[in-house]
Amino acid sequence: MNRRRFLNTSASLAAMTFTAHGHSHHHVNEAPFETATNATPDTGPVISGSGDFRYEYVPDKLVLPPEVQMKNGHGLCLDTMGNIYFTFEPEKVETQTRSLVRFAPDGTGASLLGADNALAHGVPHGLNIQMDKNGQAVLYHANNDATVHKTTLDGSILWTQKWTTQMGNYKPTDAVAAPAGDRLLVADGYGSSMIHALKTVDGVYAGKSWGGLGSAHGELNCPHGITFDPRKQLLLTADRGNKRLEYFTLSGFYHSTIEAKEITAPCNADIRGDHVLVPDLDGPLIILDKDNKVVSVIEVGKLLGARGFRHPHDAVWLANGDIAVCTWNPGRLGYWRRLT
């Protein structure tokens, strides 16, 4: 097994060589997985998926407040009550602009969060939720503008850490707290293609990074999303540029890889029970079983591309088994109801 040891650095990351990555624009590919689909462009039901995982698009849920002017859709997560949190990049930032919204578990009742527009600056991108050591649920926001925020569930900022240019090319795309609660693992997807460890208490760099640009296992090419897989007690990274998902230990050692012909531009992953939900920028949502084998593909881009749902960027299982998905450009937010 090719285990790539993390890089221990004690002073700064200035000595590292970083390579910049911008947004990758992928063409929508034809997904080869056999899928049940039915769509009438504007009036009929939109249904997709296979076997036990067939879904119908529900257009009257996850409707954003009328004052929202979204440019790109970016991050999704749930709290323990099933409430849905969504962050996005606004068209422009004005005094009243907010970039964090919460919905009730059934996809209704949207409310904008935050006391000011601080979270809207830069490029709000990845969003994850975690219980801290005090039992308080907090949100971690990865912002492409070299910034990570930690907030309460109402959007009140607990700390903000922005790296200086001396620390290298740093454009975070996602961040997840390790279960122990003292380390935040930041996916530097559009910057160094590394994973960096920060301290959850204050966001200060914790002196550990791993990955780096490359295609060998343990190396990364746009680690766009990162999550903790409780099934395996490992970190699961959406290695988008390499068309795969890579497992790492919490200490940064390469463990194993998920690859499938249906996975061409994975953006993130969400785990519910035995199953993994993978939004892919090329158009589909891909569902994996307990063995990480493809069992269903929801053809979001093919069926709803004409309505703007072209590039799935993040997706989460809802408490009732339905799915929320946001698409990147143009920004859209959609609800898919599981069929029984």
Side-chain angles (χ1 to χ4, degrees):
M1 180 180 295
N2 175 21
R3 292 193 171 186
R4 184 177 179 87
R5 183 176 295 274
F6 57 74
L7 302 176
N8 285 314
T9 59
S10 57
S12 75
L13 294 178
M16 295 181 181
T17 300
F18 293 110
T19 303
H21 288 269
H23 282 283
S24 296
H25 295 264
H26 297 272
H27 296 290
V28 177
N29 295 330
E30 292 293 314
F33 192 84
E34 182 179 353
T35 180
T37 60
N38 178 23
T40 302
D42 295 312
T43 58
V46 177
I47 297 171
S48 188
S50 299
D52 293 333
F53 294 94
R54 297 176 69 247
Y55 294 81
E56 180 179 356
Y57 170 61
V58 182
D60 60 351
K61 291 194 174 187
L62 295 180
V63 177
L64 290 165
E67 61 267 36
V68 168
Q69 294 183 328
M70 175 169 49
K71 180 178 180 180
N72 296 324
H74 278 153
L76 283 160
C77 65
L78 302 183
D79 64 21
T80 56
M81 302 296 293
N83 295 304
I84 305 159
Y85 295 78
F86 173 55
T87 192
F88 57 91
E89 181 184 2
E91 288 283 358
K92 57 183 177 180
V93 179
E94 299 175 327
T95 302
Q96 71 276 14
T97 303
R98 301 293 182 269
S99 62
L100 180 66
V101 61
R102 178 170 56 210
F103 295 88
D106 64 354
T108 65
S111 59
L112 292 170
L113 306 176
D116 54 33
N117 64 5
L119 295 174
H121 290 280
V123 182
H125 200 272
L127 186 67
N128 274 303
I129 195 167
Q130 180 74 19
M131 298 294 290
D132 67 14
K133 289 184 176 180
N134 300 320
Q136 177 187 14
V138 296
L139 292 168
Y140 290 102
H141 309 245
N143 190 303
N144 294 168
D145 188 23
T147 301
V148 176
H149 301 284
K150 179 180 180 179
T151 74
T152 67
L153 296 189
D154 290 326
S156 298
I157 295 176
L158 299 172
W159 55 248
T160 296
Q161 281 292 344
K162 182 169 183 175
W163 278 16
T164 65
T165 55
Q166 287 79 11
M167 297 293 278
N169 183 28
Y170 179 63
K171 297 179 181 177
T173 49
D174 205 11
V176 66
D182 61 346
R183 291 292 182 269
L184 181 70
L185 290 315
V186 179
D188 192 11
Y190 296 150
S192 66
S193 280
M194 302 187 81
I195 307 298
H196 304 299
L198 309 184
K199 298 176 183 178
T200 55
V201 67
D202 54 14
V204 172
Y205 178 59
K208 293 182 180 179
S209 298
W210 67 83
L213 182 63
S215 59
H217 292 307
E219 296 176 336
L220 301 163
N221 183 354
C222 186
H224 187 272
I226 187 169
T227 191
F228 179 74
D229 187 343
R231 305 171 308 165
K232 297 178 178 294
Q233 299 294 302
L234 294 169
L235 293 167
L236 184 56
T237 302
D239 186 12
R240 193 168 77 185
N242 286 322
K243 303 182 179 183
R244 66 192 184 191
L245 295 101
E246 294 268 275
Y247 275 114
F248 292 90
T249 69
L250 293 173
S251 300
F253 292 99
Y254 168 73
H255 181 275
S256 55
T257 299
I258 301 172
E259 291 180 299
K261 64 181 184 296
E262 296 84 5
I263 298 173
T264 59
C267 285
N268 218 316
D270 189 54
I271 294 96
R272 183 177 189 263
D274 287 335
H275 293 87
V276 185
L277 177 64
V278 180
D280 193 290
L281 201 68
D282 283 339
L285 299 180
I286 300 149
I287 297 175
L288 310 176
D289 65 11
K290 61 182 177 62
D291 299 315
N292 290 329
K293 303 300 182 184
V294 177
V295 292
S296 184
V297 174
I298 304 168
E299 298 287 6
V300 175
K302 282 185 180 180
L303 298 177
L304 293 178
R307 305 187 198 182
F309 290 86
R310 295 174 189 150
H311 305 293
H313 192 273
D314 203 0
V316 290
W317 304 101
L318 303 183
N320 61 3
D322 295 348
I323 289 173
V325 57
C326 67
T327 58
W328 165 55
N329 184 9
R332 296 287 188 273
L333 184 61
Y335 189 108
W336 289 76
R337 178 175 59 88
R338 186 173 179 180
L339 301 176
T340 55

